Amino acid sequence: MTCKNCGHELEHDASFCDKCGAKVVKDRITFKLLLSELFASFGLDSLFVNTLKSMFTKPQKVLMDYLNGARKKYVNPFAFLAVGAALSLLVFNFFYQEFVNVNASFNKEQTELLREKANLDISKLEGKSEKEIKQLKREQLNAQYSLKFSDTYFDYFVRYFNIISFLIIPFYALISKLTFRKPHNYGEHIIINSYIQGTAMYITLFFFLVAIVIHPKIYVYSTLAMVGFYLYTFGKMYNLKFKQYVFKFIRFCLVTALLIIILGLILGALSIIIGIIVGYKNPEILK
């Protein structure tokens, strides 16, 4: 047997050429081999499969091992999160319209009402006073802006899903740190949440694909499943009893609600500022 790269004669059971160092390839190219090569190119290979499997079966072991220094056994948490985000980005873009429809199903009636107002032909209305016409025009303009904002939101969310996935980790880590205060610090909670969110993405994808096939509202259960997985993982890490589970769940809800309120106030202030700017540039809105 000779090396296909340099022609050097090889031993029958050689795995690498002892002259040029090239890997000896004996197998035909198959889809399975391509996937293996893809993961290997990112340094993931079987390490990724082992990490993903362990995160579903014994997540507390992965997290405690990694935090305690056994880091060669598992994929780096940020690489693990990146793969989940990349796969989600691929699926959501491929099923973009289905993604929009699934999310729109949660407030379908409100969306339909906005579309009716946005597409209303006010010029054909009869028996309306000038004041009522102005009010209808204002409502129509607001409906058009709301629909445009919604479309823009979904477009940006899907387009930059991988970036958003990383940017939101510090927020998740803050929630878990305030919920489970000891013994881990904030930096360790960043690692924990990277692994948890990387795994949760596969849960979300599963519910999303099922929702496409069966019913859009099934997708809402992905949130419940993610929260359940989140609490289950921390419960296993800290050996929580039932009463402790209940207490931590209540604290989790309160902390999340408080941070969302704070974030809402910040976004509300930004919305007012943006509204003032838009109103200044588009005075017809204020008429």
Side-chain angles (χ1 to χ4, degrees), residues 78 81-82 84-86 88-89 92 157 160-172 193-194 197-198 201:
F78 302 117
L81 176 63
S88 299
L89 183 68
F92 290 152
F157 181 82
Y160 301 109
F161 181 81
N162 53 343
I163 298 175
I164 294 171
S165 299
F166 277 90
L167 292 179
I168 205 168
I169 287 297
F171 178 75
Y172 288 142
N193 279 274
S194 295
Q197 294 306 316
M201 287 179 182

Side-chain angles (χ1 to χ4, degrees), residues 96 114 141-157 267 271 274:
Y96 178 76
L114 285 174
L141 201 58
N142 289 336
Q144 290 171 349
Y145 274 111
S146 296
L147 291 171
K148 186 176 181 181
F149 174 81
S150 179
D151 292 339
T152 303
Y153 166 78
F154 284 122
D155 182 57
Y156 274 88
F157 181 82
L267 292 176
S271 297
I274 293 172

Side-chain angles (χ1 to χ4, degrees), residues 68-211:
N68 290 329
R71 296 173 185 175
K72 291 294 183 180
K73 296 166 62 177
Y74 308 105
V75 174
N76 177 282
F78 302 117
F80 184 73
L81 176 63
V83 173
L87 182 60
S88 299
L89 183 68
L90 181 66
V91 173
F92 290 152
N93 272 283
F94 188 79
F95 295 103
Y96 178 76
Q97 193 53 53
E98 288 82 357
F99 178 80
V100 173
N101 294 338
V102 164
N103 282 276
S105 66
F106 299 125
N107 55 350
K108 188 175 181 180
E109 293 181 0
Q110 183 179 357
T111 302
E112 288 178 353
L113 183 61
L114 285 174
R115 292 194 185 282
E116 287 179 10
K117 288 183 178 180
N119 298 323
L120 180 66
D121 190 351
I122 299 177
S123 62
K124 293 183 178 181
L125 295 178
E126 298 179 356
K128 299 290 183 181
S129 65
E130 186 178 345
K131 184 178 180 181
E132 289 174 326
I133 293 296
K134 284 185 177 181
Q135 178 64 25
L136 287 171
K137 286 183 177 179
R138 192 179 296 113
E139 291 178 0
Q140 184 179 59
L141 201 58
N142 289 336
Q144 290 171 349
Y145 274 111
S146 296
L147 291 171
K148 186 176 181 181
F149 174 81
S150 179
D151 292 339
T152 303
Y153 166 78
F154 284 122
D155 182 57
Y156 274 88
F157 181 82
V158 172
R159 186 182 302 177
Y160 301 109
F161 181 81
N162 53 343
I163 298 175
I164 294 171
S165 299
F166 277 90
L167 292 179
I168 205 168
I169 287 297
F171 178 75
Y172 288 142
L174 182 59
I175 293 175
S176 63
K177 174 59 180 172
L178 294 175
T179 303
F180 305 92
R181 297 180 182 177
K182 296 180 180 180
H184 299 108
N185 59 38
Y186 182 68
E188 290 169 326
H189 276 275
I190 292 282
I191 298 298
I192 292 170
N193 279 274
S194 295
Y195 273 123
I196 291 177
Q197 294 306 316
T199 309
M201 287 179 182
Y202 295 96
I203 298 175
T204 301
L205 285 176
F206 171 76
F207 278 93
F208 172 66
L209 295 174
V210 172

